[in-house]
Amino acid sequence: MKLIRVIVVALTAAAAVVIGPQAAFAIPSGTGWSGSWKYTRGTSIQVTLDVPGAKLVANGWDSLGVRAFVLNITDTVADGKCAYVKWTGAATTEHWACGSGTTVQVTGLPSSTNAVTAVLCRDSTAHNNKTNCNVIDVPSSYTDEFIRTEGNGAHWKYYDGYSGEDWGAWITIGDVNFDYFGVDDFPSGQRWIWSWLTLLQPTCGSGTILNAAPASTLSMCSQYNIIDDLPDTYVTGTAWGTACTWSPRGLNPPKHCIKLRVPEPS
């Protein structure tokens, strides 16, 4: 199935080159962009963000949903710019690292029971020209303790070389995996997405590409391992995906969900 998709994408991408996308709507290359968060244990969590020239690694501790983080911000390119981070949890703070190879460690951030959003950008040394901004969201485990299960998390990245798609995104929630992949500027200014849902154990799960046309969603329960494709679809702008899991037993069991966005590069 994967090989067939890669061949189709390669052929359609070649055709797109002949036609030529309209420059006014073209999505820039995202090479070097990525984002992730993952619970490595029930009490430990790591968040990462990358853009060319800047990197964020945040290590956190989770005490029954009350989380605290230490940020490491690195400027990785000698181009006279800085790495910039806006960190939003219990409050919003801003931080910079300037100078190639310079890493700034930020401690003493307020602990939070809120969801966390991190934004990483390149910025001028005057701190007045932020570009190439990347973002990741980490849901609160205070409102849903299942979130802090070891292995739960989400990540995405743009590929460095042509592999049949421009980027891939992966969500893990319990025994449910939801994977979705995109080709940008096909057609011009849009993102073509295909995806599939995998249940690894007897469980229920769902996967959805949000704001998609046509609609692309799948929900299923199974007593054995199973994988199934969602309908291929298109989105304009941010590619939002959501994966959920719930017990196949009981009436109206609670759903546990993770939402991941793949921003367009800028």
Side-chain angles (χ1 to χ4, degrees):
M1 175 188 68
K2 179 67 170 181
L3 178 60
I4 293 172
R5 289 186 184 277
V6 170
I7 292 172
V8 170
V9 173
L11 291 174
T12 52
V17 171
V18 174
I19 296 170
Q22 301 176 22
F25 301 100
I27 300 171
S29 168
T31 300
W33 289 56
S34 66
S36 72
W37 66 268
K38 183 178 181 178
Y39 274 88
T40 55
R41 294 192 302 274
T43 56
S44 299
I45 183 173
Q46 185 174 78
V47 181
T48 68
L49 272 177
D50 290 276
V51 294
K55 184 177 185 65
L56 164 69
V57 178
N59 292 300
W61 297 265
D62 192 325
S63 177
L64 301 179
V66 181
R67 298 180 296 186
F69 289 87
V70 172
L71 313 185
N72 289 280
I73 307 161
T74 304
D75 182 352
T76 62
V77 175
D79 61 357
K81 294 184 179 180
C82 303
Y84 162 82
V85 168
K86 181 170 75 172
W87 183 267
T88 302
T92 297
T93 58
E94 297 180 296
H95 313 277
W96 288 263
C98 300
S100 179
T102 299
T103 297
V104 172
Q105 186 174 89
V106 182
T107 61
L109 290 169
S111 59
S112 176
T113 59
N114 301 337
V116 166
T117 297
V119 178
L120 174 69
C121 306
R122 297 293 284 153
D123 198 3
S124 66
T125 54
H127 300 170
N128 63 359
N129 186 23
K130 298 171 183 61
T131 59
N132 306 120
C133 292
N134 192 0
V135 61
I136 194 79
D137 311 283
V138 186
S140 170
S141 71
Y142 187 79
T143 54
D144 184 0
E145 65 181 26
F146 187 82
I147 294 293
R148 57 178 180 270
T149 301
E150 181 177 351
N152 278 354
H155 71 284
W156 66 270
K157 69 173 183 178
Y158 269 83
Y159 300 115
D160 293 332
Y162 186 72
S163 59
E165 60 268 347
D166 291 323
W167 51 265
W170 302 265
I171 302 175
T172 299
I173 178 76
D175 292 314
V176 173
N177 287 343
F178 180 50
D179 308 329
Y180 57 106
F181 299 83
V183 176
D184 288 345
D185 280 331
F186 183 75
S188 180
Q190 294 189 56
R191 310 171 97 179
W192 177 37
I193 297 177
W194 64 90
S195 55
W196 56 86
L197 181 68
T198 305
L199 306 186
L200 301 175
Q201 297 289 339
T203 190
C204 295
S206 65
T208 303
I209 303 297
L210 303 175
N211 301 321
S216 183
T217 187
L218 177 65
S219 179
M220 58 186 181
C221 296
S222 178
Q223 295 301 315
Y224 49 87
N225 297 359
I226 190 172
I227 181 172
D228 202 355
D229 290 354
L230 279 71
D232 291 0
T233 190
Y234 297 88
V235 300
T236 301
T238 298
W240 287 95
T242 298
C244 299
T245 188
W246 62 96
S247 173
R249 303 177 182 86
L251 295 175
N252 299 317
K255 285 189 176 182
H256 313 286
C257 299
I258 288 175
K259 187 177 179 180
L260 174 66
R261 56 173 154 175
V262 180
E264 285 185 356
S266 61

